[in-house]
Amino acid sequence: MSLFDYFARKKNNTASIAKERLQVIVAHERRQNNKPDYLAALQKDIMEVIKKYVDIDIDNIEVQLDNHGNFSVLELNVTLPDKLPAAKAGNSR
Amino acid sequence: MAKIIVVTSGKGGVGKTTTSSAISTGLALRGHKTAVIDFDIGLRNLDLIMNCERRVVYDFVNVINGEATLKQALIKDKRCENLFILPASQTRDKDALTKEGVEQVLNELKELGFEYVICDSPAGIEHGAFMALYFADEAVVVANPEVSSVRDSDRILGILQSKSRKAELGENVTEHLLITRYDPERVARGEMLGVADVEEILATKLLGVIPECQSVLKASNQGVPVIHDTESRAGKAYADAVARLTGEQVEHRFLTPEHKSLFQRLFRRSA
């Protein structure tokens, strides 16, 4: 390996970019594929319930199921808007 | 007891048929009675790679539909004593393959005393690919060191682990990773994913690495499975992979750049 090759490698190491991108997408897709079929429906129902109280977008809800050996964790992440609309959040209705 | 091995990849053009022809030939050369089945209905090519395209009379779908017996459809290879080819149908629809039909053919092959049945899968994850992998005991997942191929291989591994018959029975399909078109020089320059990278991403045991080699095209031009070219790097690498498939411990070769003379470097001709 010549000195030139050494510098060329540092500059053009596209293989490591490929590896990083693959690790991210493969991990993401494995999670997607292991999701049970009801998860999408569950997400929709949860959103309907939350929407009754807070005006939010479906993109702000994340439902994730993680397997940890003999038990699974259902994680629900809801990003609420900065300002809670008082009318909907309160008991006025 | 016949072992059913699917050669699959998800992505097309990575070397499934080349690998199927090489592995089936390699097993037969080692004395095992082997059948190789082309599951690519409508786009058959195994016959061409194995130089029996002009001897096809009946095909896989004919046998499933009862229009011919399995013995009538099996083509005996001209070079190897123990090798038989079951070609795909060129005219039918891929839906002609049914689980029951495929299972019946596989059972009949077992009764005929075949030790290995190699299933050459079509590309994709549709019906034909699913039929090819469903009954597999083992899987050879063929991948190129390239992003789309590796990603598709991961998809296929997921399908093997969830949708195959073994998975339905709560068992595992034994998975093997075969990396093809590997260029150690480009890997050394950081231009291509290395063996360890692909192995790590796919978390699958490595069966072999087939180096990028001109012998592969030469072999397909002539319809001679590349494993017969015992002088070529690809031929040797396939022979090693077949030995590993039968349980032998063989060191991996062709993973590092070849030492080239100054003359070769100047003219950039590869063997």
Side-chain angles (χ1 to χ4, degrees), chain A residues 1 9 12-16 18-19 21-23 25-26 29-30 33, chain B residues 146-147 150-151 154-155 188-193 197 200-203:
Chain A
M1 180 114 346
R9 184 164 48 158
N12 308 317
N13 197 333
T14 53
S16 59
K19 186 183 177 184
R21 292 175 59 216
L22 271 169
Q23 280 173 324
I25 192 69
V26 161
E29 286 178 344
R30 277 184 197 160
N33 292 333
Chain B
E146 176 271 326
V147 286
V150 174
R151 179 198 209 173
D154 191 68
R155 277 288 275 142
R189 287 200 299 266
E191 294 173 7
M192 183 182 267
L193 287 165
D197 298 333
E200 187 190 328
I201 294 162
L202 296 177

Side-chain angles (χ1 to χ4, degrees), chain B residues 181-182 210-222 226 229 232-235 268-271:
Chain B
R181 306 203 68 168
Y182 194 70
I210 313 299
E212 174 79 57
C213 184
Q214 295 184 2
S215 61
V216 175
L217 183 59
K218 281 186 205 161
S220 82
N221 285 342
Q222 304 171 88
V226 69
D229 186 352
S232 70
R233 287 155 61 87
R268 285 212 144 202
R269 298 265 319 253
S270 51

